[in-house]
Amino acid sequence: MTRPWKPSVTVAAIIERGGRFLLVEEETSDGIRINQPAGHLDPGETLADAAARETLEETAHSFRPSALLGVYMWSASAGRQSNATFVRFAFIGDVGALDASRKLDEGILRTLWLTPDELRTRQAEHRSPLVLQCVEDYLAGQSFPLTLLHTHPSVVRP
């Protein structure tokens, strides 16, 4: 029997301050990569809550999503360790101050604030092509209201 195809649902925070974007440098099975604060949706949370949690865990900054940037789909190439397909919900929002006492998530080496041009010159280091695509869409002014997303109460834990 063939195993059913199940893409991984992920979230990402697209955070810009003063013309620079908040990114993380992380250890992956493909080496050290640059990514937005991002990760998998956990059971019992909304997509927006997952983006806030992942941002706090990976950057030690609080994050409050204010808009959906877009929904992206990407399949890891054959040259990588993983051949998974990812569905990414990318959020725009407000970032809080750094909590210097908070330890970054395992595998996160450091945070970076990069300009779009700096990010473009480092494409070979991106975790996926979605990293730059999200920044380009943000710069183009793409944005959708959070009301586009609906979470049935059965999903969220009491």
Side-chain angles (χ1 to χ4, degrees):
M1 183 167 157
T2 305
R3 193 174 141 182
W5 176 67
K6 293 183 182 180
S8 295
V9 175
T10 62
V11 296
I14 313 307
I15 300 167
E16 183 264 336
R17 182 187 285 164
R20 294 183 174 274
F21 289 86
L22 179 59
L23 299 141
V24 297
E25 191 175 71
E26 58 186 337
E27 292 182 279
T28 75
S29 58
D30 295 314
I32 297 173
R33 297 286 184 246
I34 295 171
N35 198 7
Q36 279 97 8
H40 293 272
L41 176 67
D42 283 350
E45 62 185 357
T46 68
L47 292 160
D49 288 345
R53 175 186 53 76
E54 287 289 350
T55 301
L56 182 61
E57 291 174 355
E58 293 189 358
T59 71
H61 287 272
S62 61
F63 176 67
R64 187 176 54 82
S66 60
L68 178 69
L69 175 66
V71 180
Y72 302 82
M73 197 162 148
W74 173 69
S75 183
S77 65
R80 295 181 179 235
Q81 294 290 328
S82 169
N83 62 358
T85 298
F86 299 93
V87 178
R88 174 190 256 209
F89 292 81
F91 292 89
I92 302 166
D94 302 312
V95 67
L98 173 68
D99 178 355
S101 67
R102 186 174 181 90
K103 186 179 179 198
L104 300 181
D105 215 1
E106 185 177 333
I108 303 298
L109 303 176
R110 63 183 175 143
T111 59
L112 306 166
W113 287 92
L114 299 178
T115 67
D117 284 339
E118 290 169 333
L119 191 57
R120 288 179 192 112
T121 63
R122 297 179 69 175
Q123 286 185 60
E125 299 172 66
H126 295 183
R127 179 88 186 248
S128 81
L130 301 181
V131 174
L132 185 57
Q133 184 65 57
C134 286
V135 169
E136 298 293 4
D137 289 348
Y138 174 87
L139 293 171
Q142 183 170 295
S143 175
F144 302 95
L146 290 177
T147 55
L148 186 69
L149 302 172
H150 173 76
T151 303
H152 188 272
S154 64
V155 172
V156 182
R157 293 180 185 152

